[in-house]
Amino acid sequence: MAVRSAHAAETVIAVPTFRRPEHLRRLLEAVRGLDGLERAALLVAENDPQQRQGAAIACALAPTLPIPVDIVLVPRPGLCSVRNAIVAHALRYPAMQRLAMIDDDEWPEPGWLAELIAVQQRTGAAVVGGPVEPVFADGEPRWWRETLVFRPEERPEGLVEMLYASNNLLVMRAALERVGEPWFDPAFNRSGGEDLDFLTRLRAQGFGFAWAPRAAVREWVGPERARRGWVLRRMWRIGITDTMVARKKRPGALGRATLAARSLALLGFRTASLPALAWKRERRLDIAGQWVKALARLYALAGGSDALYAAPAPVSSARPGSS
């Protein structure tokens, strides 16, 4: 349902949402202060057709925002369902040239959108990413910089080999049209990793990626996530979803054997690094997390899965740690 017409928009800011109305409110209020809103529109995808809390917030705030707002209801649950609905809806806007993705538990810095667009224009890349900076509900835990799960990526501006997540991402229309439907593979609907798979397929088709270090968004981290146990659980999931993506790239018995050999070697390397837990206090969580991630790779190759998102919450994948 359209609150105001967005069909003339060249840039579409897309937000998937599920039962986080106050977080979404903060994001929408931050849109008021954005630079680069010329010929832009906002698309909110509500993945809870029963309560529709996000849709209600978007409808209430739409008249106060400087750009048109469009709301789409996505009754089918899951990460990929809501992201695919966003892309399909945005491609119906005849003037749309670029899709800027941000999650409903985040909010952008004023220069976010303008920086994404500027870096895209300077580099010619089809996909541009930016950093995600955590904001902890109960104050920063002492250990949070010990893990790549929370630590923002630090890269110079310009072309990069790979991007990993869709929670701060600009994608050009040409890339969306060529990769084709489904843009986000439903096999990842409940596990996460759908954005890594999407970006991996874009890269395989020859599209260029770039990094915009000043296109920052902030991400709310509640107390349930600001725990070491949650970090290790996230690393376990990343190991599984990374392996799911890798198996798509290397199908068949030979590909499986190759991945198994690499995963065994990686687990051996990570196991050999475990004694460093005794003296590298500032890296303990990363060391443990990388070991858990390596073990999860073998679990996935053995047929294990990880349906972490039993509810249809469009939670983006964490930025993966180095392997």
Side-chain angles (χ1 to χ4, degrees), residues 193-277:
E194 79 291 345
D195 40 8
L196 176 60
D197 175 69
F198 167 69
L199 291 163
T200 298
R201 285 184 285 125
L202 283 175
R203 181 186 177 200
Q205 293 195 26
F207 289 104
F209 296 168
W211 186 252
R214 291 183 295 278
V217 304
R218 297 186 182 273
E219 180 182 38
W220 183 255
V221 181
E224 74 283 355
R225 292 169 58 197
R227 297 182 291 109
R228 291 182 176 90
W230 184 92
V231 169
L232 295 177
R233 181 75 174 86
R234 178 60 68 95
M235 293 299 287
W236 174 266
R237 180 176 67 82
I238 291 171
I240 290 174
T241 55
D242 280 3
T243 303
M244 291 171 63
V245 173
R247 287 189 64 181
K248 285 185 64 176
K249 291 171 58 179
R250 301 178 179 88
L254 179 59
R256 187 186 183 92
T258 301
L259 286 173
R262 291 181 179 179
S263 297
L264 281 169
L266 182 61
L267 181 62
F269 173 76
R270 297 302 184 192
T271 300
S273 70
L274 288 178
L277 291 169

Side-chain angles (χ1 to χ4, degrees), residues 13-157:
I13 303 169
V15 185
T17 190
F18 178 79
R19 296 183 186 175
R20 293 199 278 209
E22 293 309 312
H23 292 313
L24 180 63
R25 180 190 298 275
R26 177 172 48 207
L27 190 163
L28 299 184
E29 289 174 345
V31 167
R32 294 195 192 107
L34 282 178
D35 303 325
L37 290 179
E38 298 80 9
R39 297 179 296 280
L42 179 68
L43 174 59
V44 177
E46 171 64 84
N47 202 203
D48 180 13
Q50 284 76 43
Q51 298 187 31
R52 302 188 184 186
Q53 296 173 314
I57 290 291
C59 282
L61 291 182
T64 73
L65 298 179
I67 55 176
V69 178
D70 213 4
I71 301 168
V72 58
L73 299 179
V74 186
R76 180 174 295 177
L79 297 162
C80 301
S81 299
V82 72
R83 297 199 191 282
N84 283 329
I86 281 172
V87 177
H89 199 83
L91 287 174
R92 296 191 190 111
Y93 303 154
M96 193 276 287
Q97 295 301 313
R98 58 189 73 86
L99 183 68
M101 303 183 190
I102 184 171
D103 284 352
D104 66 349
D105 60 347
E106 301 173 340
W107 64 99
E109 292 292 296
W112 169 67
L113 184 63
E115 283 292 329
L116 286 176
I117 295 173
V119 171
Q120 190 283 319
Q121 292 174 341
R122 283 196 289 267
T123 62
V127 189
V128 182
V132 178
E133 301 175 1
V135 176
F136 294 91
D138 296 333
E140 296 178 355
R142 289 177 299 168
W143 49 265
W144 78 272
R145 288 189 177 275
E146 298 173 21
T147 171
L148 295 178
V149 167
F150 290 133
R151 195 160 65 241
E153 290 187 74
E154 296 181 0
R155 309 197 210 183
E157 180 184 309

